[in-house]
Amino acid sequence: SQTIHQWPATLVQPVGSPLSLECTVEGTSNPNLYWYRQAAGRGLQLLFYSVGIGQISSEVPQNLSASRPQDRQFILSSKKLLLSDSGFYLCAWSGVRGRGSNTEAFFGQGTRLTVV
Amino acid sequence: QKEVEQNSGPLSVPEGAIASLNCTYSDRGSQSFFWYRQYSGKSPELIMSIYSNGDKEDGRFTAQLNKASQYVSLLIRDSQPSDSATYLCAVNRAGKLIFGQGTELSVKP
């Protein structure tokens, strides 16, 4: 069966410090991978998605970047965190259903990031 | 216009009643539609997926899709207090999974 691992669960970082969040998927190959951010009481904002190694699409101009160095590894990074980067970060994977359509997405446990 | 729209709620229903959650989307090319449940502080969990027009039932949950009206709904029968959560509608568009803002559901005992 497929599993998705995301760590750490919580993180407190000072303004201006770097960030690296990692997500790995097991039990599937060539998944679509996603990074979302959720502000308190809000919906999920799509930050990045990837359909393959080295293929990253950015949805929102921001202080973050993403990389996919391996098929089942997705990393979210920042060189210098801002207060506005605080939030609940979620990694997800989905399969490909064909004709640009996806199967359902499954989420990691999330990382609650607080920038102080 | 947002790509996926939901009423934010809160929607309050008594225990045992039917809860009806609605979602509209803007892109007619969307092909896959999903409902997720999210408890406070937790990650979303999948409830239903629907790909074709009509109804799809799974236990107490029924998803309804009308592509002509660009409308997706979720019915929860015999609502329980444990159903109290935020319900997120998601729509696939060209490989991207776009979420609505979510509807908060409160089921009162």
Side-chain angles (χ1 to χ4, degrees):
Chain A
S1 64
Q2 302 88 358
T3 56
I4 178 168
H5 303 279
Q6 183 183 345
W7 65 93
T10 60
L11 192 60
V12 180
Q13 291 284 97
V15 169
S17 63
L19 173 73
S20 180
L21 301 180
E22 188 166 342
C23 171
T24 60
V25 181
E26 296 178 356
T28 187
S29 58
N30 199 30
N32 286 353
L33 297 172
Y34 308 86
W35 278 111
Y36 292 90
R37 178 170 60 199
Q38 187 174 36
R42 304 291 297 275
L44 274 66
Q45 179 187 33
L46 179 61
L47 301 176
F48 301 95
Y49 76 100
S50 172
V51 298
I53 296 174
Q55 301 178 61
I56 309 293
S57 294
S58 173
E59 290 299 295
V60 182
Q62 57 209 329
N63 186 39
L64 302 168
S65 62
S67 62
R68 185 171 178 173
Q70 301 181 43
D71 181 44
R72 290 170 289 179
Q73 183 184 28
F74 206 23
I75 298 171
L76 182 69
S77 303
S78 174
K79 292 182 179 179
K80 290 185 177 181
L81 284 169
L82 307 173
L83 286 173
S84 57
D85 292 324
S86 294
F88 190 41
Y89 288 82
L90 290 155
C91 179
W93 77 272
S94 72
V96 178
R97 189 167 174 263
R99 295 192 302 167
S101 175
N102 287 5
T103 64
E104 49 274 314
F106 298 94
F107 286 84
Q109 67 171 353
T111 296
R112 190 160 304 281
L113 172 66
T114 304
V115 182
V116 296
Chain B
Q1 182 186 9
K2 293 181 181 178
E3 292 193 63
V4 181
E5 294 204 57
Q6 298 179 252
N7 289 328
S8 60
L11 173 65
S12 183
V13 301
E15 183 174 357
I18 295 176
S20 178
L21 304 162
N22 304 314
C23 173
T24 58
Y25 60 95
S26 61
D27 186 352
R28 288 192 173 275
S30 300
Q31 299 179 16
S32 309
F33 307 87
F34 310 98
W35 282 100
Y36 288 81
R37 177 175 62 200
Q38 186 178 26
Y39 293 112
S40 181
K42 302 296 185 181
S43 60
E45 53 182 338
L46 180 73
I47 299 176
M48 296 278 286
S49 57
I50 187 166
Y51 302 99
S52 304
N53 277 330
D55 295 359
K56 179 180 178 183
E57 185 175 321
D58 184 0
R60 295 187 296 113
F61 299 96
T62 298
Q64 299 173 317
L65 174 61
N66 184 326
K67 290 186 178 180
S69 299
Q70 297 175 241
Y71 176 88
V72 192
S73 67
L74 179 70
L75 299 177
I76 306 174
R77 291 180 298 280
D78 188 24
S79 295
Q80 301 297 309
S82 59
D83 294 326
S84 297
T86 296
Y87 289 79
L88 299 162
C89 172
V91 174
N92 166 253
R93 178 173 68 80
K96 297 190 296 184
L97 200 57
I98 308 299
F99 282 79
Q101 290 294 100
T103 298
E104 183 183 351
L105 172 66
S106 177
V107 181
K108 303 297 185 183

